[in-house]
């Protein structure tokens, strides 16, 4: 029998009407009806005759949690998963969601700052040269070091290496050009790029889901996971090959290269979804991806997940990518030190990766890779690797090995050897590329 907004439920004890519960939870009756329709917060009792909803006052905390999650922008589908968890697991899920939001915000901030720098440089160039239509400005090194110089994007040859897995070695030559409003000039020094790539199954795993590629226009590593991990990593790299994204000889403007990077990132996402679609749980399969696309006098970086890219410049090794992982987010917010992170017992939970699409999902759940522009100078050495290397070999050892190697092919073999010496618990993929002065200079 109802009295003062309350009703006695046969199984649940004293219940309250939707109006009373709205006051308890500080939500509107409209919001409560919407949460009911979405399955996020079911009433404790629905009158079978008149359809009135009644709630247990103990549900107020869950209702407020739904409202709070909505206020931070969490999608309703993810809220449904969070509210079904116990408190500890829900806290982990919320942390992971927010870390992903911050990572995506940081990527947008980087792009915004690049656009500010690019347009400011273009404006200065146009102001200096009457009638000049201008070109693209230069973007600084995200490693915190100054950069100047140009890389070239001519066609080179690649050959298949031996021992330890899929390996490639080769190089390309070309000449950057500089001048007012453009990215080179008559006095520019011709640059040459040489590369090598190597993958290894490691000492523990029987299959290899990592992939690596090095060739004209592209350096890439991908770390697959799940049932379709091998297919996912291969598909992601294939989608980025120059033949797939329409690379052409000659320099691209900064704007054109950014557009090309966005297009290739989207292509990689679609390729991974298609590759893992036959899996029983396609959203449980996917891959990380870290790639450098070379064209004209610029290079573009595409990155998602916890594979990494490093730059050796002036004897110092800089990491130029940011891991999209829960552990990295805990380092970022100060709840975990780098030393503690090295021995963190939790699983390597990725906040962003290229993944398949659940058949029941109305939209793709794959995340968007970060994209950015960089410039190279003679003497640079780049290292791209999966976490099968970076998770077991510290950066001091990486630096020593990368510096000691005479050429990229020796470097990748040294690095894979270090991973095996550390136990080789995971697949390994690495690419090393050198930027130097061309023999034609």
């Amino acid at each position: 029998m109802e009295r003062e907004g309350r009703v006695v439920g046969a199984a649940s004890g004293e219940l309250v009407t939707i109006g009373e519960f709205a006051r308890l939870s500080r939500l509107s009756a409209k919001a409560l009806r919407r949460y009911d329709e979405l399955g996020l917060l079911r009433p404790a009792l629905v009158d079978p005759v008149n359809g009135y909803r009644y709630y247990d006052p103990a549900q107020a905390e869950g209702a407020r949690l739904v409202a709070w999650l909505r206020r931070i922008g969490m999608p309703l589908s993810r809220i449904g998963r969070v509210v079904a968890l116990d408190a500890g697991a829900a806290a982990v899920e919320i942390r992971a969601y927010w870390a992903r939001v911050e990572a995506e915000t940081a990527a947008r901030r980087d792009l915004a700052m690049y656009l500010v720098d690019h347009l400011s440089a273009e404006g200065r160039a146009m102001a200096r040269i009457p009638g000049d239509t201008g070109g693209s400005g230069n973007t600084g090194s995200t490693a915190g070091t100054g950069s100047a110089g140009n890389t070239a994007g001519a066609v080179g040859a690649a050959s298949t290496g031996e021992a330890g897995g899929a390996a490639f070695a080769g190089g390309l030559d070309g000449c950057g050009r500089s001048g007012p409003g453009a990215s080179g000039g008559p006095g520019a020094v011709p640059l040459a790029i040489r590369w090598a790539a190597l993958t290894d199954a490691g000492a523990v795993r029987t299959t290899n889901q990592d992939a690596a590629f090095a060739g004209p226009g592209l350096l890439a590593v991908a770390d697959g996971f799940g049932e379709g991990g091998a297919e996912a990593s291969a598909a992601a790299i294939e989608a980025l090959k120059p033949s797939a994204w329409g690379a052409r000889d000659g320099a691209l403007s900064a704007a054109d290269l950014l557009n090309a990077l966005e297009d290739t990132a989207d292509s990689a996402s679609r390729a991974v979804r298609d590759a893992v679609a036959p899996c029983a749980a396609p959203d449980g399969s996917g891959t990380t991806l870290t790639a450098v696309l070379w064209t004209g006098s610029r290079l573009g970086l595409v990155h998602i997940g916890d594979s990494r890219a490093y730059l050796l410049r002036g004897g110092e090794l800089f990491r130029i990518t940011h891991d999209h992982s829960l552990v990295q987010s805990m380092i970022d917010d100060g709840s975990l030190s780098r030393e503690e992170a090295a021995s963190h017992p939790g699983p390597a939970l990725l906040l962003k990766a290229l993944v398949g699409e659940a058949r029941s999902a109305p939209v793709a759940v794959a995340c968007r890779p970060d994209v950015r522009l960089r410039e190279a100078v003679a003497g640079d050495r780049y290292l791209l690797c999966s976490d099968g290397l970076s998770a077991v070999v510290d950066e001091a050892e990486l630096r020593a090995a990368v510096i000691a190697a005479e050429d990229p092919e020796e470097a990748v073999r040294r690095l894979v050897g270090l991973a095996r010496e550390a136990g080789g618990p995971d697949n390994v993929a690495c690419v090393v590329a050198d930027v130097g002065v061309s023999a034609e200079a």
Side-chain angles (χ1 to χ4, degrees):
M1 183 176 76
E2 187 172 340
R3 61 182 190 280
E4 298 179 359
R6 297 178 182 270
V7 66
V8 177
S12 304
E14 191 173 68
L15 305 179
V16 299
T17 64
I18 190 171
E20 177 69 12
F21 188 71
R23 286 189 290 275
L24 286 174
S25 62
R26 300 195 176 190
L27 297 172
S28 68
K30 180 179 179 181
L32 291 172
R33 285 190 289 268
R34 177 63 172 159
Y35 295 163
D36 179 17
E37 293 167 358
L38 294 171
L40 299 178
L41 185 69
R42 297 291 192 189
L45 177 69
V46 177
D47 191 302
V49 177
N50 55 32
Y52 289 169
R53 297 172 171 88
Y54 298 95
Y55 293 82
D56 188 326
Q59 292 180 279
E61 184 175 350
R64 286 192 289 266
L65 175 59
V66 172
W68 291 332
L69 294 176
R70 288 293 291 153
R71 287 177 66 182
I72 66 172
M74 184 177 286
L76 291 171
S77 59
R78 190 159 186 168
I79 291 175
R81 296 197 299 271
V82 171
V83 298
L85 300 172
D86 61 49
V92 171
E93 182 72 12
I94 294 168
R95 176 188 284 277
Y97 166 74
W98 193 248
R100 173 176 159 182
V101 169
E102 290 184 326
E104 291 174 345
T105 300
R108 290 195 295 270
R109 182 183 63 240
D110 288 347
L111 178 57
M113 291 303 97
Y114 162 73
L115 292 172
V116 169
D117 291 345
H118 165 60
L119 293 173
S120 298
E122 188 175 67
R124 288 193 296 270
M126 292 176 68
R128 287 195 302 269
I129 303 172
D132 184 17
T133 58
S136 58
N138 295 328
T139 161
S141 167
T142 60
T145 64
S147 63
N150 302 291
T151 95
V155 176
S159 62
T160 302
E162 301 173 351
F168 306 89
L172 61 88
D173 290 344
C175 179
R177 297 178 174 83
S178 63
S183 56
V189 176
L191 299 179
I193 302 169
R194 298 199 61 81
W195 62 79
L198 184 64
T199 69
D200 184 74
V204 175
R205 305 208 173 172
T206 58
T207 59
N208 190 354
Q209 293 186 312
D210 283 10
F213 179 84
L218 177 67
L219 311 170
V221 297
D223 182 355
F225 56 85
E227 177 190 351
E231 293 80 5
S233 60
I237 290 180
E238 192 65 31
L240 263 64
K241 289 183 178 178
S243 60
W245 62 275
R248 60 182 185 268
D249 293 339
L252 289 178
S253 70
D256 286 342
L257 182 53
L258 273 174
N259 288 338
L261 291 175
E262 293 283 354
D263 290 345
T264 55
D266 290 342
S267 296
S269 296
R270 288 193 299 270
V272 169
R273 291 200 298 272
D274 291 344
V276 302
C279 297
D283 54 344
S285 293
T287 186
T288 69
L289 178 65
T290 300
V292 171
L293 284 72
W294 305 82
T295 177
S297 63
R298 295 180 178 85
L299 61 90
L301 181 67
V302 178
H303 170 69
I304 188 167
D306 62 356
S307 294
R308 293 180 176 180
Y310 294 89
L311 167 64
L312 180 69
R313 177 177 288 174
E316 295 297 326
L317 187 69
F318 302 97
R319 175 150 57 106
I320 59 174
T321 54
H322 196 74
D323 292 352
H324 300 137
S325 67
L326 181 59
V327 167
Q328 182 64 58
S329 76
M330 295 173 72
I331 294 172
D332 294 342
D333 66 21
S335 59
L336 199 66
S337 70
R338 292 192 180 276
E339 293 73 21
E340 292 169 333
S343 57
H344 189 264
L349 178 62
L350 292 175
L351 301 179
K352 293 176 65 176
L354 300 179
V355 297
E357 178 180 349
R359 292 187 174 89
S360 60
V363 296
V365 296
C367 304
R368 201 176 175 84
D370 298 342
V371 299
R372 65 188 60 179
L373 301 185
R374 296 188 59 84
E375 286 198 15
V377 298
D380 283 351
R381 173 170 281 183
Y382 285 87
L383 163 63
L384 282 62
C385 66
S386 64
D387 70 339
L389 176 64
S390 60
V392 298
V393 179
D394 65 37
E395 290 191 3
E397 289 184 280
L398 289 181
R399 175 180 175 275
V402 171
I403 288 176
E406 289 290 329
D407 54 41
E409 189 166 3
E410 180 185 344
V412 295
R413 297 190 187 282
R414 279 178 178 263
L415 293 166
V416 168
L418 285 176
R420 280 190 161 268
E421 289 173 12
D426 198 358
N427 304 153
V428 183
C430 59
V431 172
V432 173
D434 285 351
V435 180
V437 177
S438 171
E440 299 176 0

